[in-house]
Amino acid sequence: MNQINSQYLIRAAIKCANHMKISISISIYDAGANLLAFQKMDGALLGSIDVSLKKARSAVLFQKSTDTLGQLVREHQLESIEQTNDGLILFAGGEPISFNGTLIAGIGISGGSAAQDKEIALYAISELNKTNMVKD
């Protein structure tokens, strides 16, 4: 079973958010949609907590980025799907994390614009990949 260094992901996301001068909430879920880690930066809106949690969970449940999931919902007229699974998020900021083609986790970022949230999530994942912090 692959394990992910969730604290490394959180530190990378905070580094990127600090560089962008925004405060965010960060959520990490495992492949079974269980919360692994969460961090709210000082100054992040309280509403960003729930959004980051749902972004990470949505990315894991459907093994797609949340903006891609939203696009599929619009293209295939899957109205109200966001109300399933205790609430899904259908805009950018949630990303699945894979290792050797297998889903191992998901990250959700909330606090900036959707584009900023996605950028931070992708930055954290790229930093994780650079350091080979995923282990068998």
Side-chain angles (χ1 to χ4, degrees):
M1 178 83 161
N2 292 315
Q3 295 179 343
I4 190 160
N5 189 325
S6 55
Q7 292 306 309
Y8 187 86
L9 275 170
I10 287 176
R11 286 191 302 273
I14 289 172
K15 176 182 174 185
C16 187
N18 282 334
H19 179 73
M20 298 169 83
K21 296 182 174 33
I22 58 175
S23 295
I24 60 169
S25 289
I26 308 120
S27 299
I28 313 294
Y29 275 73
D30 69 14
N34 302 296
L35 183 63
L36 287 176
F38 171 81
Q39 179 73 45
K40 177 187 166 291
M41 292 175 66
D42 290 343
L45 295 173
L46 290 176
S48 70
I49 296 169
D50 189 51
V51 175
S52 75
L53 291 164
K54 287 182 177 173
K55 283 182 179 183
R57 193 166 183 274
S58 297
V60 166
L61 289 173
F62 291 90
Q63 299 184 23
K64 295 188 180 333
S65 64
T66 51
D67 53 330
T68 299
L69 180 59
Q71 183 178 356
L72 288 170
V73 167
R74 289 185 294 280
E75 287 174 2
H76 297 283
Q77 300 175 341
L78 300 171
E79 293 87 7
S80 302
I81 194 171
E82 70 277 3
Q83 296 173 16
T84 67
N85 296 288
D86 293 323
L88 301 173
I89 297 292
L90 304 178
F91 51 88
E95 295 290 330
I97 303 169
S98 297
F99 181 72
N100 290 335
T102 301
L103 177 76
I104 58 168
I107 185 171
I109 306 292
S110 181
S113 69
Q116 289 171 320
D117 292 349
K118 182 177 182 81
E119 183 178 340
I120 293 167
L122 292 175
Y123 174 83
I125 293 168
S126 73
E127 289 299 297
L128 183 77
N129 289 336
K130 283 181 194 176
T131 60
N132 201 18
M133 296 289 284
V134 177
K135 51 190 181 246
D136 287 320

